[in-house]
Amino acid sequence: MIRKQIFSAAIAAIVFQTATSQEALKYQLPPDEIIKIVDAPVTPLVSVSPARTEMLVIERLPIITIKELSAPELRLAGLRINPATSGPSRQTFNKSFTLMNIDGTNARPVAGLPADASLGYPDWSPDGKKFSFSVTKNNGIELWICDVASAKAAKISDNLNMVFGSSVSWLSDSRRLVFTINLPGRGAVPERSPIPEGPVIQENLGKQGQAATYQDLLKDPVDEAIFEYFALSQLMMWDGSNTIKVGEPGMITSATPSPDGRYLLVDIIRRPFSYTVPFYDFPSVTVIMDIKGNPVKTLLDRALVENEPRGYDQVLPGRRDFSWRDDKPATINWIEALDGGDYKNEMEFHDQVWSLDAPFSGEPVKYIATALRCSRIFWGNDTYALIQELSQKTRMVVISSFSPQDPQNTKKKIQEFNRDDGYHNPGRFVTDNNSFGMKTLLFTDKGKSLYLTGDGSSPEGDRPFIDKYDIASGKTTRLWRSEAPYYESFSAFIDVTKGLILTTRQSVTDPPDYFIRNLKNRKLTQVTRFENPYPQLTGVRKELVKYKRRDSLDLSFTLYLPAGYDKEKNGPLPTLLWAYPREFNDLSAAGQVSGSPYTFTRISPSSALVYVTQGYAILMDAAFPIVGVGGKEPNDTFVEQLTADAEAAVSKAVEMGVTDPARVAVSGHSYGAFMTANLLAHTRLFAAGIAESGAYNRSLTPFGFQNERRSYWEAPEIYNRMSPFMNADKVKDPIMLIHGMADNNSGTFPIQSERFYAALKGFGAVVRLVLLPDESHGYAARESILHKHWEVLGWMDKYVKNKKTP
């Protein structure tokens, strides 16, 4: 098999060399093994009903084509809109639904669906007796409902407006739901005249306006008119038989029913728009309406935000993060910064949670204050709830319990941990649907205990678990933990009293399937039986490899070796290292193992893992920590740590005898592409590099990037040293730059690759620029992905596998 792979790759390399950089190259195909992986059937999704009696198996549509990807698209205010449907473009759809009992019996396809349907994701009613979903057609989006008992679906509305995402919400009675439709009688889309009426002008009158680098922004008054045309919608309610108009039209971004279904929390954006920030920073109003659409209380009237807070734990002053209290009929909560939004101000408490009960005519009440930024409240019952605080700077998470009847005086810290420290993460508290259909804490032992579940990170890999937490003592008891050679993770409780849970279970050879596990007698019952989508990968070897950086920091990667590979017979292999740097502020957390050696090898169509079928060893997800210690920011020594990470990974693979040190490629996507270019600029460790959709000139992201909070003017030496563009003259090994021509990710404009290519070319580097038409930050079309694999394989075969040595 190894010989066949090398022969196929050699043929691909010959074909690759015939194309010149100026040739109008059509989409090419990689070897058959890779095509089969890209075209592999997509494993179904599973959605469990709130009642835990039914599950829905969701068959997904195959990978889209370049024709579908190239359909008309509007890029406005940070959104990508399909003008034919008034919904998001580039969506992933489903093709069918099958209902079955929670134990896998009584499987029955949902009837009544339109032929060749493009189905959205299902949304269960609180009682689990129905679910809603969208059906996208060529000229619009429809709203459908399925009755679970009969397994029959029917349409209830046309012209859904989903410009801002899903617009459908069930009310707690499980009979009614609210949604938005296109503004009735809106007429034709505003047209752009080929003749400009005047210049486009922006002006700032001395106020700071520091914002991140965004794409797809409004550019002129015509864009404004088109955006408003698609953003305007009418809120509607379906009462079980009829659709009813709710309130007045507006640019409604969300409408969330209160737990008792009597009120709606509605966000509406307004003019004036901005050409420098996305829609969510436009002026907006947050208002409570009754279920008929009558305004009851304006909670926030926010002006345009063009000066976003920078720095760790900085927030806008004033009210933020409105939400319904999950365990009460109609109580609204929000957060306000006590420090004016500036966390550098020394305060005992930095955030204050406020509360206001229906009918919202009284004064808001100070509810509970937090020393760190408040990030979430887990509601339970009248006597017990949890509040989570978070520091972005220190990465610390604090969880405290409190009595909702006397929150401030009963607040008690029960957990404190670094969110990067997986080994000491106690897990997250399990929630379940209450009588309103809202997620609240799941109690057991007559309210005396809670459940915790988590990844269970450990030096041997992740081992998910379930613990019981005793409220009175704060002690935990382990009920179950995933055991080798399987990776099994918790999905939901089916029956607390019987100790029945639903899990997903997989191994290196078995794809993930659903099981019912009895925590009391350890009995395991298989529910689903999904097929292995990659039979051609049988025999590929997978191993979790641990090693140390030169400063003794623990690192790891997952090693994949081709099927049939024998180290003694075949010798060291050409190798691809794939990684993505992560910032840490704690050395012990930075060196921890993540992932599991017992998971099934799932390969996304664009994954670099496909090259294991072509005779390459793959060092997948190599740990590349960038650590800030002693008061320093991680990026202060970015290049030095990046180099040390790479040296350690390559040295370990060479020491194992599986990697030829002269034939190693490095690759990554987005920040991993940034890493790749930096390694080629500052080291000679690699024979070649492949950088996908990266940013290479940090002066083009001057107000911060990734987790860097300083601006270019505060740390110019850091920005310049970290920018491969500024170090283009140092790149001495071949590098391929790949970029989607419609990249909408913040900072990774296609021009980043275009100008880096020009700089490299100017210094005589061996470089190839591949621009993929209509592709965004991640690549979606079958033709694009297959061509990318053809490009990468040809590049590696020429400059890595068949590298000419002096």
Side-chain angles (χ1 to χ4, degrees):
M1 185 172 178
I2 290 289
R3 184 176 298 174
K4 177 183 175 183
Q5 293 164 355
I6 293 174
F7 177 76
S8 299
I11 295 297
I14 293 170
V15 175
F16 179 84
Q17 293 177 43
T18 64
T20 68
S21 58
Q22 283 74 41
E23 184 178 349
L25 190 66
K26 294 185 177 180
Y27 290 109
Q28 300 294 309
L29 296 175
D32 286 345
E33 294 95 336
I34 295 178
I35 295 175
K36 289 178 181 177
I37 292 173
V38 172
D39 289 339
V42 185
T43 301
L45 299 172
V46 170
S47 177
V48 180
S49 77
R52 306 292 189 250
T53 56
E54 307 278 347
M55 61 194 311
L56 191 64
V57 178
I58 306 164
E59 292 285 345
R60 293 183 282 174
L61 287 169
I63 188 171
I64 65 172
T65 66
I66 193 65
K67 180 180 178 180
E68 294 171 282
L69 188 69
S70 302
E73 175 182 70
L74 298 173
R75 301 169 187 173
L76 302 168
L79 294 169
R80 294 200 162 176
I81 301 168
N82 182 339
T85 65
S86 293
S89 61
R90 303 168 181 266
Q91 280 188 288
T92 299
F93 294 111
N94 307 304
K95 65 178 180 179
S96 68
F97 298 136
T98 299
L99 282 160
M100 62 174 62
N101 295 348
I102 196 68
D103 61 1
T105 61
N106 193 26
R108 54 213 189 274
V110 171
L113 298 174
D116 301 321
S118 293
L119 309 176
Y121 196 77
D123 183 20
W124 292 93
S125 62
D127 62 7
K129 294 180 179 180
K130 293 185 282 287
F131 63 85
S132 65
F133 58 95
S134 62
V135 174
T136 298
K137 295 193 170 182
N138 292 332
N139 60 350
I141 306 175
E142 301 170 347
L143 178 59
W144 286 58
I145 286 181
C146 176
D147 175 74
V148 172
S150 64
K152 291 182 179 179
K155 183 178 73 171
I156 65 169
S157 181
D158 294 303
N159 300 319
L160 272 188
N161 184 294
M162 297 181 66
V163 165
F164 298 104
S166 177
S167 64
V168 182
S169 297
W170 285 96
L171 273 63
S172 56
D173 60 11
S174 295
R175 181 176 59 88
R176 299 171 294 166
L177 48 74
V178 293
F179 55 96
T180 53
I181 63 170
N182 298 328
L183 191 63
R186 63 181 180 175
V189 182
E191 293 186 1
R192 181 179 295 279
S193 170
I195 304 173
E197 295 182 356
V200 177
I201 296 172
Q202 299 184 55
E203 183 178 36
N204 187 62
L205 300 177
K207 294 181 66 176
Q208 284 193 353
Q210 300 182 5
T213 49
Y214 298 110
Q215 307 202 58
D216 298 344
L217 299 177
L218 300 179
K219 298 179 178 63
D220 55 35
V222 180
D223 273 359
E224 293 186 52
I226 296 173
F227 169 73
E228 188 169 32
Y229 173 88
F230 284 100
L232 280 169
S233 64
Q234 173 64 56
L235 191 61
M236 305 292 292
M237 182 176 69
W238 185 69
D239 65 2
S241 56
N242 299 299
T243 54
I244 305 165
K245 179 180 173 181
V246 178
E248 298 300 318
M251 289 181 279
I252 301 167
T253 58
S254 67
T256 308
S258 61
D260 65 0
R262 295 174 58 208
Y263 300 95
L264 296 169
L265 177 64
V266 182
D267 289 307
I268 307 169
I269 58 174
R270 302 183 299 186
R271 286 179 177 271
F273 300 147
S274 171
Y275 295 175
T276 60
V277 292
F279 75 92
Y280 47 77
D281 281 334
F282 291 176
S284 66
V285 60
T286 301
V287 61
I288 296 176
M289 299 178 180
D290 65 24
I291 200 61
K292 294 182 179 180
N294 300 308
V296 174
K297 178 77 173 181
T298 298
L299 297 171
L300 178 66
D301 193 341
R302 193 188 70 175
L304 174 67
V305 178
E306 288 190 325
N307 185 24
E308 298 177 352
R310 290 191 306 105
Y312 293 110
D313 303 302
Q314 305 293 86
V315 298
L316 287 168
R319 297 177 176 182
R320 71 181 197 274
D321 297 344
F322 296 92
S323 62
W324 295 111
R325 178 170 164 176
D326 297 323
D327 64 331
K328 288 294 182 182
T331 297
I332 198 76
N333 293 107
W334 65 86
I335 306 168
E336 291 187 44
L338 295 172
D339 52 23
D342 187 353
Y343 197 80
K344 294 190 295 292
N345 293 328
E346 294 188 8
M347 314 277 292
E348 179 183 4
F349 298 111
H350 284 273
D351 271 352
Q352 175 70 54
V353 179
W354 291 79
S355 181
L356 183 61
D357 293 329
F360 314 108
S361 55
E363 291 298 315
V365 175
K366 284 186 177 181
Y367 193 71
I368 190 170
T370 59
L372 307 179
R373 289 287 181 228
C374 178
S375 60
R376 184 178 178 184
I377 296 179
F378 300 85
W379 297 103
N381 54 34
D382 285 336
T383 60
Y384 195 85
L386 302 172
I387 187 166
Q388 178 176 290
E389 305 172 44
L390 172 66
S391 168
Q392 294 177 336
K393 175 68 174 178
T394 64
R395 316 287 176 93
M396 294 305 296
V397 176
V398 174
I399 295 181
S400 303
S401 63
F402 67 92
S403 168
Q405 297 175 352
D406 186 15
Q408 199 67 52
N409 292 326
T410 58
K411 186 181 175 187
K412 176 185 177 183
K413 184 189 298 184
I414 63 170
Q415 291 180 351
E416 185 172 15
F417 56 93
N418 188 314
R419 66 178 180 179
D420 292 334
D421 184 0
Y423 291 179
H424 298 96
N425 190 314
R428 60 190 179 276
F429 286 94
V430 177
T431 61
D432 201 4
N433 294 330
N434 63 7
S435 59
F436 296 123
M438 310 295 284
K439 295 289 186 183
T440 53
L441 293 170
L442 177 61
F443 291 94
T444 187
D445 298 334
K446 297 181 180 181
K448 296 179 180 179
S449 303
L450 299 168
Y451 290 108
L452 285 162
T453 185
D455 295 332
S457 298
S458 70
E460 64 264 28
D462 291 351
R463 296 181 61 188
F465 65 88
I466 293 178
D467 286 347
K468 181 184 285 187
Y469 174 82
D470 182 78
I471 292 174
S473 67
K475 294 182 179 179
T476 59
T477 303
R478 180 129 302 170
L479 302 180
W480 166 80
R481 188 185 191 193
S482 179
E483 298 290 342
Y486 295 97
Y487 177 85
E488 188 174 357
S489 58
F490 168 80
S491 292
F493 267 93
I494 297 174
D495 190 319
V496 173
T497 58
K498 295 181 179 179
L500 299 180
I501 63 171
L502 188 69
T503 69
T504 56
R505 192 173 195 242
Q506 58 187 296
S507 71
V508 173
T509 57
D510 301 316
D513 267 305
Y514 283 81
F515 289 76
I516 294 176
R517 175 175 284 279
N518 189 316
L519 295 176
K520 295 182 178 180
N521 62 19
R522 305 296 176 179
K523 182 180 178 182
L524 194 63
T525 304
Q526 187 165 356
V527 176
T528 62
R529 298 183 185 275
F530 297 134
E531 294 183 4
N532 181 352
Y534 317 114
Q536 64 272 34
L537 293 181
T538 302
V540 169
R541 288 168 51 193
K542 175 182 179 181
E543 179 183 353
L544 177 64
V545 178
K546 293 183 282 187
Y547 52 99
K548 290 184 180 293
R549 202 165 73 174
R550 60 181 177 227
D551 59 0
S552 297
L553 183 64
D554 291 320
L555 302 176
S556 65
F557 58 69
T558 302
L559 172 66
Y560 293 84
L561 295 171
Y565 171 71
D566 185 300
K567 184 166 58 176
E568 301 303 323
K569 293 181 181 179
N570 302 113
L573 294 173
T575 298
L576 174 66
L577 183 154
W578 178 275
Y580 188 96
R582 286 189 59 203
E583 294 93 341
F584 295 86
N585 65 359
D586 185 289
L587 280 169
S588 62
Q592 293 182 2
V593 173
S594 61
S596 169
Y598 304 117
T599 54
F600 180 73
T601 302
R602 298 180 67 96
I603 304 184
S604 67
S606 60
S607 172
L609 271 180
V610 300
Y611 309 122
V612 76
T613 66
Q614 304 303 305
Y616 286 86
I618 310 294
L619 314 184
M620 199 68 186
D621 297 327
F624 267 65
I626 309 296
V627 190
V629 294
K632 290 186 176 182
E633 291 293 325
N635 286 339
D636 291 349
T637 53
F638 178 85
V639 171
E640 293 79 4
Q641 293 194 64
L642 205 67
T643 300
D645 292 333
E647 289 174 344
V650 173
S651 295
K652 181 61 179 180
V654 171
E655 176 191 312
M656 295 175 68
V658 299
T659 290
D660 180 348
R663 296 188 297 158
V664 183
V666 61
S667 185
H669 186 87
S670 193
Y671 210 55
F674 176 69
M675 169 206 74
T676 297
N678 263 302
L679 286 171
L680 291 190
H682 296 287
T683 78
R684 298 301 304 276
L685 282 170
F686 300 100
I690 303 97
E692 300 180 4
S693 300
Y696 309 106
N697 182 349
R698 284 304 170 193
S699 71
L700 298 179
T701 56
F703 292 110
F705 57 89
Q706 206 71 1
N707 285 314
E708 178 57 63
R709 297 297 198 273
R710 295 166 293 188
S711 74
Y712 177 83
W713 296 272
E714 292 171 307
E717 68 288 349
I718 300 296
Y719 275 67
N720 290 333
R721 179 160 170 72
M722 289 180 67
S723 294
F725 179 86
M726 312 301 187
N727 298 279
D729 59 322
K730 301 175 185 176
V731 176
K732 305 302 179 185
D733 297 300
I735 183 170
M736 172 179 282
L737 307 175
I738 304 174
H739 218 118
M741 295 175 71
D743 194 333
N744 66 334
N745 184 56
S746 177
T748 56
F749 303 88
I751 198 173
Q752 288 273 8
S753 287
E754 293 168 0
R755 300 318 301 158
F756 189 38
Y757 170 80
L760 291 166
K761 182 179 179 182
F763 285 106
V766 177
V767 58
R768 184 177 176 91
L769 174 63
V770 180
L771 297 175
L772 300 173
D774 295 311
E775 291 291 351
S776 186
H777 193 58
Y779 316 139
R782 179 179 186 270
E783 292 86 346
S784 302
I785 292 171
L786 290 173
H787 183 85
K788 186 206 83 161
H789 288 318
W790 178 84
E791 291 277 3
V792 172
L793 188 59
W795 191 257
M796 291 200 301
D797 284 350
K798 181 177 181 179
Y799 294 111
V800 182
K801 180 180 288 186
N802 302 312
K803 177 183 178 181
K804 295 180 181 178
T805 55

